[in-house]
Amino acid sequence: MNETLLMKAPPVTLNIIGCGNVGKTLGHLWTRQNVFKVQDILNRSHQSSIAAVDFIQAGHVVQSFADIRPADLYLIGTPDQHIAECCAALLASNILRAGNIVFHCSGALPSSILDAVRAVGASIASIHPIKSFADPKASTLSFAGTFCGAEGAQDALEILIPAFEKIGGKILPIDSAQKTYYHAAGVVVSNYLTALMELGVQSYMQAGISREQALAIIDPIAQGTLKNIVSLGTAQALTGPIARGDVETVVRQLEAFQQWKPEYGELYRLLGGVALELAEIKNIATRHGIETLRKNLLN
Ligand SMILES: NC(=O)c1ccc[n+]([C@@H]2O[C@H](COP(=O)([O-])OP(=O)(O)OC[C@H]3O[C@@H](n4cnc5c(N)ncnc54)[C@H](OP(=O)(O)O)[C@@H]3O)[C@@H](O)[C@H]2O)c1
């Protein structure tokens, strides 16, 4: 239990090292809800730190690690590739004390990337809001309801979980050892979905349809499919030739994609394999249809 912080009279202070899209959003919301007192902000550029203080409406700009004053919590909100070096610089600055909490918001990296600060008795955690933070102003308005993947030391989570919940975060405990799968899932359902839509657009264009028209056609199909996935589950949401076991159509399309671009043919075949698993669960195709599709898609 983090007795130091649980028993501490308010305010609980927070320094933010790397206060960009995520840091500004959280800093602003925590200030507004009186959760933490944002104290010092250190960005790479002075101008950017000033902009962060201005956005959060709290905090004090500092220009180097040597200028940071001791606080209870430290958010390292830099891009992922700078978290470890900032953690090392923070430790070297000698301001960390036992009972402090150092955390980051990366979904790709485990909290253990901050392990070095445990040497002075600080606790570590990672809370990853599953949200796209392109515009901090919009993000403060839409943060409530955001799932936040949380892992790390129990005593750090005891402080951070209520803090994220107070601004509307929905905590999702995650297994640090499986974090790569957790983050890859987000990449697949967001980034790869975008890539898949591009493949669909290009296929429409092969059929002589313009990109603009293709996007207009995709809109209701994709939105409707997503709705069905959420309400019915993936297997029941699957329609089309693989769900029906329509071997001729699938083989014709596979061959067309292979001739157009072999790598797109490969994608059609491999994703068809995943769809086939769903078709088996949905169970409307004949056994013969499923087995013939399996031979064409998976061999
Ligand atoms: N963006 C998202 O949608 C999102 C979603 C969930 C989680 N995350 C995670 O949140 C973290 C922050 O992402 P972000 O999108 O907020 O990044 P960002 O908007 O690029 O902001 C990063 C901030 O870190 C500062 N910085 C960079 N290197 C630094 C250094 N060596 N020392 C001090 N400050 C430094 C930058 O300063 P300057 O402004 O001076 O360059 C900038 O203000 C990452 O771990 C990311 O994985 C992001």
Side-chain angles (χ1 to χ4, degrees), residues 83-296:
I83 291 176
E85 85 201 31
C86 285
C87 181
L90 178 62
L91 183 62
S93 70
N94 279 325
I95 48 168
L96 288 175
R97 297 289 171 264
N100 284 169
I101 293 169
V102 183
F103 69 106
H104 67 67
C105 293
S106 168
L109 297 172
S111 58
S112 58
I113 193 160
L114 306 170
D115 259 350
V117 304
R118 293 170 60 207
V120 294
S123 294
I124 57 172
S126 164
I127 313 260
H128 168 240
I130 309 175
K131 177 178 178 61
S132 175
F133 287 83
D135 169 12
K137 191 158 184 226
S139 301
T140 57
L141 298 175
S142 59
F143 185 82
T146 298
F147 282 103
C148 297
E151 52 94 4
Q154 193 55 37
D155 57 349
L157 294 176
E158 274 168 7
I159 302 296
L160 291 170
I161 288 176
F164 275 81
E165 285 177 337
K166 272 189 197 139
I167 56 173
K170 286 162 84 174
I171 295 297
L172 181 73
I174 56 171
D175 178 353
S176 179
Q178 305 302 336
K179 203 161 178 181
T180 302
Y181 290 112
Y182 157 84
H183 193 248
V187 169
V188 169
V189 299
S190 174
N191 311 154
Y192 277 27
L193 179 63
T194 310
L196 205 58
M197 292 299 129
E198 173 59 21
L199 183 60
V201 168
Q202 288 188 27
S203 188
Y204 275 126
M205 289 167 75
Q206 281 290 104
I209 293 165
S210 74
R211 178 169 282 275
E212 292 68 30
Q213 278 176 317
L215 286 171
I217 297 167
I218 281 173
D219 185 2
I221 309 178
Q223 311 261 15
T225 303
L226 200 56
K227 238 179 163 174
N228 289 341
I229 289 169
V230 173
S231 61
L232 305 173
T234 48
Q236 294 311 317
L238 186 74
T239 57
I242 293 183
R244 290 193 305 270
D246 179 350
V247 179
E248 259 182 50
T249 302
V250 172
V251 169
R252 202 167 48 242
Q253 292 179 356
L254 175 61
E255 284 171 358
F257 267 44
Q258 282 167 336
Q259 277 165 23
W260 171 29
K261 273 192 188 181
E263 60 273 30
Y264 287 1
E266 231 5 48
L267 274 173
Y268 186 98
R269 188 179 72 74
L270 293 171
L271 284 168
V274 178
L276 194 59
E277 287 178 24
L278 298 177
E280 283 200 81
I281 299 168
K282 189 165 185 183
N283 201 22
I284 57 164
T286 62
R287 198 70 239 155
H288 177 71
I290 293 282
E291 289 313 321
T292 317
L293 281 175
R294 191 190 311 284
K295 279 190 198 121
N296 282 282

Side-chain angles (χ1 to χ4, degrees), residues 16-24 42-49 52 65 75-83 85-86 104-109 127-134 183:
I16 306 179
I17 296 151
C19 192
N21 288 321
V22 171
K24 281 184 202 164
L42 173 65
N43 277 353
R44 229 172 355 191
S45 84
H46 186 61
Q47 267 321 101
S48 156
S49 302
F65 280 90
L75 163 59
I76 303 187
T78 62
D80 288 7
Q81 65 270 31
H82 297 296
I83 291 176
E85 85 201 31
C86 285
H104 67 67
C105 293
S106 168
L109 297 172
I127 313 260
H128 168 240
I130 309 175
K131 177 178 178 61
S132 175
F133 287 83
H183 193 248

